[in-house]
Amino acid sequence: MRLPGLDVPRESRLLVFIGLVDAIGTGLYIAGFAVFFTRSAGLSATEVGVGLTVGNACGLVALTPIGMLADRIGPRAASILLHLWRAAGFAAFAFVGDFVGFLVVSCVVGIPTRAIDPVSQMYVDRHIGEDLRVRVMSVMRVVYNIGFSVGGLLTTVILVVGTRPAFLVIVLGNAATFLLAGILLARVPLLADDPPDRRTARGWPRSLRQGRYLVVTGLNAVLVLNTTVLTLGIPLWIATRTDAPPAVVGPLMVLNTVLVVLLQVRLSRGTDTREGGVRALRRAALAFAGCVLVLALSGLVNSVGAVIAAVVATVLLTFGELWHFAGRLSVSYALAPRERQGEYLSVFWLGSAAALMVGPVLITVGVVDRGAFGWLGLAAVFVATGLAIGPAVAAAARQLAAEQPEAEVVRGAA
């Protein structure tokens, strides 16, 4: 049975299927990695946390250089390389038996795991073109959510079995999905692959020297905090500051997933231009502000009121999440020069990755621990971001248009 609204061009169906395969493996790993490393690999929870943090840091450092590599070798070669790299890395986790080995493999895995998002975004653009790229990415996000859920269910079965061979499926199964995805990517047609003249950047990445572009990435990073609000802020707030039963958290996460599956493509319509993307980001900022205002009020009412407030907040957050996804795609595409698309998209994702790293501290210490005033402060930040995003994007576009890239590049043969 086909979900309504998920029709994609025939040439994109294989790419969407690859996304499903990828997501099943990722869902399998996300749901089971903590148990695998502590019960099967014999690591402590602290060692797992430290290793994954170091691996993520390695991914951040390498993100922009790999984006520049994608500009150099083309999105197909870069995407296949990153998928095969991840396959080898996750397979190596099966042989980890101490902290040092885990740390090394975490760094190896962290680099392609971070780099794959902007390279995949570049791949979709070169696959389907400007008019349909946001729609195809939106369909793929729906499929990712379905795949994550399937992977999570498979992990439940593995945890019930509870044997060492079963635990190995968590990492080896993930490796197998990346291997299959990498092989299938070679068959997805592209409108364009390598840069036409094989130019290569000289010196420091140009994107990191454009202050107005970095302002846009910073504003987008503020909006990325919605992810931490959903996964950490709402559960902690419900459990510690409201009369709502903690058991309501699970259904709220399901509600979020269902709304993403049903509405992502629909709410992405009209966002295929820069102006449409800015409108979507404004709506997202307002929806996030509304969400956290409702959360602030939820601590002042009885249990029934708190549950209703939590549901309303989750719906507002999810609508904001849907607009934010489509809007940031459109804006990041619009502000990325064609010959440096991998570099610029990687820097844009760098801001998002940094927000996800600092988000847990900001939301717990800066918001939840401050009570209702913490949520009110975050609401003000979201509103200010929504007001600033339009002028910031326009200023970045003007700066990019004024640049003379010919003066900053040199032929690869030189």
Side-chain angles (χ1 to χ4, degrees):
M1 183 178 68
R2 187 167 58 189
L3 291 173
L6 294 191
D7 293 329
V8 293
R10 181 179 297 274
E11 61 268 28
S12 299
R13 292 175 185 174
L14 178 58
L15 185 61
V16 172
F17 174 74
I18 292 170
L20 177 64
V21 171
D22 190 322
I24 290 174
T26 301
L28 182 72
Y29 174 75
I30 290 176
F33 77 89
V35 175
F36 171 79
F37 290 126
T38 54
R39 291 180 56 184
S40 182
L43 302 173
S44 69
T46 300
E47 288 174 333
V48 173
V50 170
L52 294 179
T53 300
V54 172
N56 283 330
C58 291
L60 287 179
V61 172
L63 188 55
T64 301
I66 290 184
M68 297 173 73
L69 175 65
D71 286 327
R72 177 65 178 165
I73 67 176
R76 187 190 301 278
S79 294
I80 293 174
L81 170 65
L82 292 175
H83 276 82
L84 298 183
W85 187 343
R86 288 198 293 174
F90 280 100
F93 271 138
F95 303 97
V96 166
D98 56 49
F99 177 64
V100 174
F102 174 67
L103 194 63
V104 171
V105 178
S106 293
C107 291
V108 171
V109 169
I111 294 173
T113 297
R114 284 296 181 195
I116 193 63
D117 288 322
V119 172
S120 295
Q121 190 178 339
M122 180 184 181
Y123 192 99
V124 171
D125 174 66
R126 304 300 172 88
H127 158 69
I128 200 64
E130 181 176 341
D131 292 339
L132 292 175
R133 59 193 180 187
V134 173
R135 176 179 176 81
V136 171
M137 288 288 291
S138 297
V139 171
M140 291 182 68
R141 184 166 191 248
V142 172
V143 170
Y144 284 153
N145 275 268
I146 296 172
F148 290 152
S149 300
V150 172
L153 292 174
L154 292 175
T155 302
T156 302
V157 176
I158 291 171
L159 297 180
V160 170
V161 175
T163 63
R164 167 72 177 173
F167 286 143
L168 286 175
V169 174
I170 293 173
V171 290
L172 294 180
N174 196 22
T177 60
F178 290 140
L179 177 61
L180 177 59
I183 294 172
L184 292 178
L185 277 170
R187 301 183 60 186
V188 176
L190 296 183
L191 298 176
D193 193 357
D194 299 333
D197 54 10
R198 295 279 187 175
R199 293 186 296 180
T200 181
R202 171 187 291 168
W204 191 254
R206 193 176 78 195
S207 54
L208 294 178
R209 290 178 277 158
Q210 293 185 319
R212 297 175 186 178
Y213 180 75
L214 296 180
V215 168
V216 176
T217 66
L219 292 173
N220 175 68
V222 172
L223 298 181
V224 171
L225 291 175
N226 81 88
T227 301
T228 309
V229 171
L230 176 67
T231 59
L232 185 61
I234 290 178
L236 279 179
W237 182 256
I238 288 174
T240 62
R241 297 299 187 101
T242 75
D243 291 331
V248 75
V249 171
L252 291 178
M253 300 301 111
V254 173
L255 174 62
N256 171 263
T257 300
V258 170
L259 289 177
V260 169
V261 170
L262 294 179
L263 298 177
Q264 180 64 78
V265 176
R266 182 175 301 176
L267 267 65
S268 298
R269 293 171 184 164
T271 63
D272 50 339
T273 64
R274 191 185 79 201
E275 294 76 13
V278 169
R279 285 194 298 270
L281 291 178
R282 286 199 191 108
R283 293 170 185 165
L286 292 177
F288 294 150
C291 162
V292 298
L293 286 174
V294 172
L295 288 174
L297 295 174
S298 67
L300 306 176
V301 295
N302 61 22
S303 59
V304 174
V307 170
I308 294 173
V311 172
V312 172
T314 301
V315 171
L316 286 171
L317 183 86
T318 304
F319 270 77
E321 177 188 344
L322 300 174
W323 281 318
H324 177 233
F325 176 81
R328 72 178 180 182
L329 281 178
S330 181
V331 167
S332 63
Y333 275 133
L335 296 181
R338 186 72 170 179
E339 73 279 2
R340 292 173 179 258
Q341 192 177 50
E343 174 196 328
Y344 275 73
L345 292 178
S346 294
V347 170
F348 200 84
W349 278 91
L350 184 63
S352 301
L356 291 175
M357 288 190 68
V358 303
V361 174
L362 290 177
I363 297 301
T364 54
V365 177
V367 177
V368 175
D369 286 352
R370 299 293 181 270
F373 290 105
W375 290 118
L376 293 176
L378 184 58
V381 170
F382 281 139
V383 170
T385 302
L387 293 174
I389 194 68
V393 170
R398 290 194 298 270
Q399 184 178 25
L400 287 168
E403 291 288 337
Q404 298 297 324
E406 290 78 11
E408 298 184 24
V409 297
V410 62
R411 297 283 178 179

